[in-house]
Amino acid sequence: MKVWMVGTEMAPYAKVGGLGDVLGALPQALARIGCEVTVILPHLASIDAARWGLSPTGVSVRALIDGQWQTAEVLEANAPGTGRVRVLFLHHPAYFHREGLYGTPAGDFPDNAQRFAFLCYAALEAGARCAPQPDVVHSHDWQAGLVPFFLKAPEHYGSDPRFAGAVRVHTIHNLSYQGLFPAEVLPRLGISWAYFHHLGLEFYGLVNFLKAGLVYADVLTTVSPTYAREIQTFDFAWGLHGVLVERAADLHGILNGIDDRSWDPGNDGALVQQYSRGDLAARKHNTRALRAELGLPRDGRPLAGVVNRLVQQKGIDLLLGLEPRLEGLGLQWAILGSGETGYEAAVVDLVRRHPGTVAARIGFDDGVARRIYAGSDLFCMPSLFEPCGLGQMIALRYGSIPVVRRTGGLADTVRDVATPEGVGFVFEEPSPAALEGALERARALLANPSRTAAVRRRGMAMDYSWNASAGRYLEVYRQAAGRRPHRPLQ
């Protein structure tokens, strides 16, 4: 099948969060099973054209935004990897050559509606002029939410023969980010007021880009089976409960994978000692080196790792809430992350008040992240909600035993050690006390080296590569192409 993907991030070119990992790996996995994949992205200032071999196509595309024609040059490259994936980049410096992708620490860019409406419209035109006619157009998250709408609206691409028969697929990576804008932006994007109603783009008086994807796509996917069920409940739907319940038959939860070629402790150059499931003794060298790197003493306490964004969703309040009992838990902590200013400051204060027990690096460093996965005894991920999560899968691959809350993809990937095939520790209630209970159970396991080694080996044996996930996406594409539901245009 010929598949186009439209999004904003793709590793290794640009990555802010999990979306970058998905667009870096899923197209490659689809290509390896026979799909012809084209990914269409904004050309960000951080993407060095010479380094990545970007070359001009000679094609320029344009869209009418704010009453003016905005034009982008189309560049191209072959994505590095084992699958043959072509990438088209939309070169529009005024929109995309900025310090941040979505905004600055002070907030989102005020013209994000215009920037990402342009991305959606121009991506379709760039694909139509530079790529084979698609069987599937697969858009990702709110920034590409208008793609299914533009493909369906007759005054845009809905009657364009270049897209005849193309299945519209939209993936929700995190429902809490929706792309909400004042209603008055609509005509500035070249979109008729006729679509501004509760069955279309309107959302409590605002324009909702993600809702556009949910309403106008043929098929919806999200990034784990449990999250697909959760977002059909009021508590997890962020106001879109009715839409998602209505589209339940078209919604598929497909677990994200990890790139097991990149995330491999037996072939990871960032580690001081590579190791495998059959050679766990070598793993201890990484634990000693990580303590030395972070300035933590070797005093016999197990080491718990955290590699995460420092935001409320990730359960950082639960971690901070452990402070009154932190020393009594008998653990050391290695924390790597960045996010909201208040959480960053709170973590720095935690280090100051508990030297020798907590070490942290604010920001993101791929090498440090890899060494935390390889050197930590436990990996803590107490998310309040988690669409999929990759950290727990990487931790399992590297033999760090995850401690997670039972939600979303965490529930789908980590079985509790209380079960015969358990690989981690799972708690239910989103509270510091429940997290503390899980950590105490983990400490008890770590006191038994033979049981600990057995749990590590089970986790390292689990296959969370993209192979199965890519096959599931291909199955969804084929089913959708076979039935081609034609919902009336609202």
Side-chain angles (χ1 to χ4, degrees):
M1 302 189 79
K2 296 176 176 62
V3 180
W4 298 2
M5 292 203 180
V6 182
T8 51
E9 307 171 29
M10 179 182 182
Y13 302 114
K15 174 187 166 183
V16 175
L19 173 60
D21 290 307
V22 173
L23 281 181
L26 176 58
Q28 298 278 352
L30 287 168
R32 288 194 294 270
I33 59 174
C35 292
E36 186 173 348
V37 186
T38 302
V39 181
I40 308 169
L41 305 168
H43 179 216
L44 306 176
S46 60
I47 302 175
D48 184 87
R51 176 188 177 191
W52 296 112
L54 275 61
S55 60
T57 62
V59 171
S60 62
V61 294
R62 65 179 189 167
L64 190 63
I65 304 289
D66 282 333
Q68 297 183 338
W69 287 104
Q70 301 290 335
T71 302
E73 302 300 318
V74 183
L75 311 177
E76 66 177 340
N78 292 318
T82 56
R84 295 191 62 186
V85 175
R86 188 182 185 205
V87 187
L88 302 177
F89 298 87
L90 300 174
H91 181 73
H92 188 300
Y95 278 163
F96 301 129
H97 281 199
R98 302 184 182 185
E99 184 177 348
L101 175 48
Y102 307 117
T104 70
D108 292 344
F109 291 124
D111 62 346
N112 272 353
Q114 289 91 328
R115 296 173 72 224
F116 295 117
F118 176 79
L119 169 67
C120 295
Y121 203 95
L124 293 172
E125 186 62 29
R129 296 181 62 185
C130 299
Q133 185 170 356
D135 299 303
V136 176
V137 179
H138 187 165
S139 47
H140 294 263
D141 258 356
W142 74 261
Q143 297 89 354
L146 289 178
V147 166
F149 166 75
F150 285 144
L151 282 172
K152 195 155 193 177
E155 66 270 38
H156 297 289
Y157 291 107
S159 56
D160 192 321
R162 297 176 297 179
F163 298 98
V167 172
R168 301 177 297 272
V169 178
H170 191 76
T171 294
I172 308 159
H173 293 266
N174 189 331
L175 194 65
S176 68
Y177 299 99
Q178 297 184 7
L180 301 176
F181 301 100
E184 54 266 27
V185 79
L186 207 61
R188 299 170 66 180
L189 309 180
I191 297 174
S192 168
W193 283 109
Y195 300 108
F196 190 71
H197 51 79
H198 75 284
L199 296 177
L201 304 178
E202 188 268 341
F203 181 78
Y204 297 99
L206 301 172
V207 174
N208 187 322
F209 275 35
L210 180 61
K211 186 185 176 189
L214 304 186
V215 170
Y216 294 107
D218 297 311
V219 176
L220 306 176
T221 72
T222 191
V223 292
S224 72
T226 295
Y227 192 59
R229 293 189 295 271
E230 287 176 340
I231 61 176
Q232 294 177 60
T233 67
F234 181 82
D235 289 343
F236 286 86
W238 296 88
L240 289 168
H241 170 257
V243 176
L244 289 161
V245 169
E246 182 186 356
R247 299 298 316 268
D250 303 317
L251 174 62
H252 304 266
I254 304 175
L255 194 68
N256 281 343
I258 59 172
D259 184 346
D260 58 357
R261 294 167 177 80
S262 171
W263 297 106
D264 179 4
N267 189 31
D268 192 329
L271 310 186
V272 298
Q273 178 68 58
Q274 295 166 356
Y275 61 95
S276 67
R277 184 162 58 102
D279 184 22
L280 284 178
R283 191 177 187 274
K284 296 177 182 177
H285 297 292
N286 292 290
T287 304
R288 287 196 291 268
L290 179 61
R291 282 196 172 96
E293 180 178 0
L294 299 179
L296 291 170
R298 290 174 57 185
D299 58 12
R301 287 180 290 175
L303 182 57
V306 177
V307 179
N308 228 328
R309 289 185 294 119
L310 302 180
V311 295
Q312 185 182 32
Q313 175 206 333
K314 299 298 183 178
I316 304 303
D317 290 302
L318 306 190
L319 285 172
L320 297 172
L322 293 175
E323 184 175 10
R325 300 172 292 280
L326 197 61
E327 301 294 344
L329 273 172
L331 297 170
Q332 292 177 319
W333 293 83
I335 301 173
L336 173 68
S338 64
E340 296 174 15
T341 303
Y343 284 123
E344 290 183 356
V347 169
V348 170
D349 283 344
L350 197 66
V351 174
R352 178 180 55 81
R353 291 192 294 269
H354 298 275
T357 294
V358 184
R361 295 288 185 271
I362 302 301
F364 184 76
D365 184 298
D366 182 68
V368 175
R370 290 171 180 271
R371 291 189 286 276
I372 289 177
Y373 288 122
S376 58
D377 297 294
L378 305 172
F379 186 80
C380 189
M381 203 166 171
S383 303
L384 302 184
F385 67 95
E386 191 62 63
C388 179
L390 300 179
Q392 80 281 11
M393 300 184 203
I394 299 168
L396 288 167
R397 177 97 166 127
Y398 279 63
S400 185
I401 299 174
V403 179
V404 304
R405 201 173 87 76
R406 193 186 305 278
T407 185
L410 301 178
D412 292 325
T413 52
V414 181
R415 295 191 294 273
D416 194 274
V417 296
T419 66
E421 298 302 316
V423 294
F425 295 86
V426 183
F427 66 98
E428 300 276 356
E429 182 185 351
S431 70
L435 172 58
E436 181 182 8
L439 291 168
E440 288 175 342
R441 289 198 296 130
R443 281 277 288 117
L445 173 77
L446 294 171
N448 186 323
S450 62
R451 282 195 64 210
T452 300
V455 172
R456 289 197 203 286
R457 289 191 180 98
R458 277 202 298 272
M460 294 178 76
M462 300 187 77
D463 181 7
Y464 286 125
S465 69
W466 273 102
N467 297 333
S469 301
R472 181 76 180 104
Y473 273 106
L474 184 56
E475 179 185 341
V476 168
Y477 294 163
R478 286 173 171 164
Q479 288 175 351
R483 61 185 176 92
R484 279 294 288 152
H486 290 280
R487 293 161 54 83
L489 184 64
Q490 305 287 359

